[in-house]
Amino acid sequence: MAERASESEMQVLNALWDEAPLTATDLARRIGKANGWTLATVKTLIARLVQKGAVTAEADGRRYLYRPAVDRAEAMGEESQRFVDRLFGGRVSPMIAHLAEREALTDADIEEIEALLRRLKS
Amino acid sequence: MAERASESEMQVLNALWDEAPLTATDLARRIGKANGWTLATVKTLIARLVQKGAVTAEADGRRYLYRPAVDRAEAMGEESQRFVDRLFGGRVSPMIAHLAEREALTDADIEEIEALLRRLKS
DNA sequence: GTTGATTGACTACATTTGTAATCGAAGCAG
DNA sequence: CTGCTTCGATTACAAATGTAGTCAATCAAC
């Protein structure tokens, strides 16, 4: 299952879910700048993820190609569950309500969620 | 604004949002058992929250009455926002989809969310 | 071939977090 | 009063996390 990734580590995982394989340098280019991380920092994060078994490293010459070793949907589902449990006692609707109140939901979001729910009910 | 509370600290905050004021012993009774924390641990968490300005302490004789100093809705909204940003690039519907797939949504949840959305649209 | 850039491995180190023990003051039981 | 009990304050300490630096090997370019 791999231990939980920290928030920073998640950024790396997310990048790899968007596209893999990537090298350390690729990753640094993609997420380093935005987070103000140096290449060294990104490397550390990668190393920790590999150690945790959340990312695999395939040798390619003298460097490595990294790939996510955990399923994106599953990891996200687990995280979401934990989160909703923690903040809302497991109840999703209060969370949506809060997001809505903060105007974090666009009309398009609402449409999308409604469509999703319709599908769920059938 | 208060710095972010850690996960454990959130448990304390949550308890205080449910009912306040409470003493350290009260809090330990409410959340200590469930989390396997001793009174000492709970006290540490409280102290850290006070230091962060997320909880206020009002002297009452030789002990203190603790109260949340941050607004529940606001804190939850912020946390939710951060979370959704982090895991889903700010998009709520994918998150709901994931929760639904994991069967984390009951029929009642779905009903409730639909009702909520109906209200939002009007 | 020698030099400069690149790469992973290893090391570093402060901060935050989880989890608690200890200690001195203050209140309570008798 | 006198000893137990109860508080908050202080201190402890390991693990996780954020953020990097250093180093030796290697590859690429002259």
Side-chain angles (χ1 to χ4, degrees):
Chain A
M1 202 84 358
E3 299 138 74
R4 283 172 42 68
S6 76
E7 270 184 45
S8 300
E9 287 160 8
M10 268 306 245
Q11 303 267 335
V12 175
L13 256 187
N14 260 313
L16 286 175
W17 277 325
D18 281 346
E19 182 180 346
L22 291 176
T23 67
T25 309
D26 290 339
L27 280 166
R29 260 192 256 295
R30 306 213 172 192
I31 61 171
K33 194 69 73 176
N35 292 92
W37 294 333
T38 67
L39 173 60
T41 299
V42 174
K43 281 181 181 178
T44 299
L45 294 176
I46 294 170
R48 286 180 184 163
L49 283 168
V50 170
Q51 197 148 27
K52 290 183 181 178
V55 162
T56 59
E58 177 203 348
D60 170 47
R62 82 201 167 98
R63 66 224 169 111
Y64 286 97
L65 298 179
Y66 300 102
R67 289 189 177 80
V70 297
D71 181 64
R72 173 180 222 164
E74 184 154 341
M76 284 181 160
E78 270 164 25
E79 284 289 311
S80 301
Q81 187 66 63
R82 276 176 49 81
F83 177 78
V84 175
D85 282 352
R86 181 159 70 80
L87 245 78
F88 298 93
R91 299 176 39 66
V92 178
S93 49
M95 170 169 180
I96 294 179
H98 279 293
L99 287 169
E101 263 162 38
R102 290 174 58 79
E103 289 168 42
L105 289 184
T106 65
D107 286 349
D109 283 330
I110 293 177
E111 285 299 331
E112 206 168 333
I113 293 170
E114 281 189 323
L116 175 65
L117 293 179
R118 268 196 297 282
R119 241 178 303 130
L120 282 177
K121 289 209 300 188
S122 54
Chain B
M1 204 85 353
E3 298 140 75
R4 283 172 43 69
S6 77
E7 272 185 43
S8 300
E9 288 161 7
M10 268 305 239
Q11 303 268 331
V12 174
L13 255 186
N14 260 311
L16 286 175
W17 278 324
D18 282 344
E19 183 181 346
L22 293 175
T23 67
T25 311
D26 290 339
L27 280 165
R29 259 193 256 295
R30 307 216 171 189
I31 61 171
K33 194 69 74 174
N35 292 93
W37 294 333
T38 67
L39 173 60
T41 299
V42 174
K43 282 180 180 176
T44 300
L45 295 175
I46 295 170
R48 287 180 183 164
L49 283 167
V50 170
Q51 198 148 26
K52 290 182 182 179
V55 163
T56 60
E58 177 203 347
D60 170 45
R62 80 200 170 99
R63 68 220 165 116
Y64 285 97
L65 298 179
Y66 300 103
R67 288 191 177 77
V70 296
D71 180 64
R72 174 179 221 163
E74 184 154 342
M76 283 181 159
E78 270 164 25
E79 284 288 311
S80 301
Q81 188 66 63
R82 276 175 50 81
F83 177 79
V84 175
D85 282 353
R86 181 158 70 82
L87 245 78
F88 299 93
R91 299 174 39 67
V92 177
S93 50
M95 168 168 181
I96 293 179
H98 280 293
L99 287 168
E101 264 162 36
R102 292 175 56 78
E103 289 167 40
L105 288 184
T106 65
D107 287 347
D109 281 332
I110 294 177
E111 284 300 332
E112 207 166 325
I113 294 170
E114 282 190 323
L116 175 66
L117 293 180
R118 267 195 298 281
R119 242 177 302 131
L120 282 178
K121 289 210 302 189
S122 54

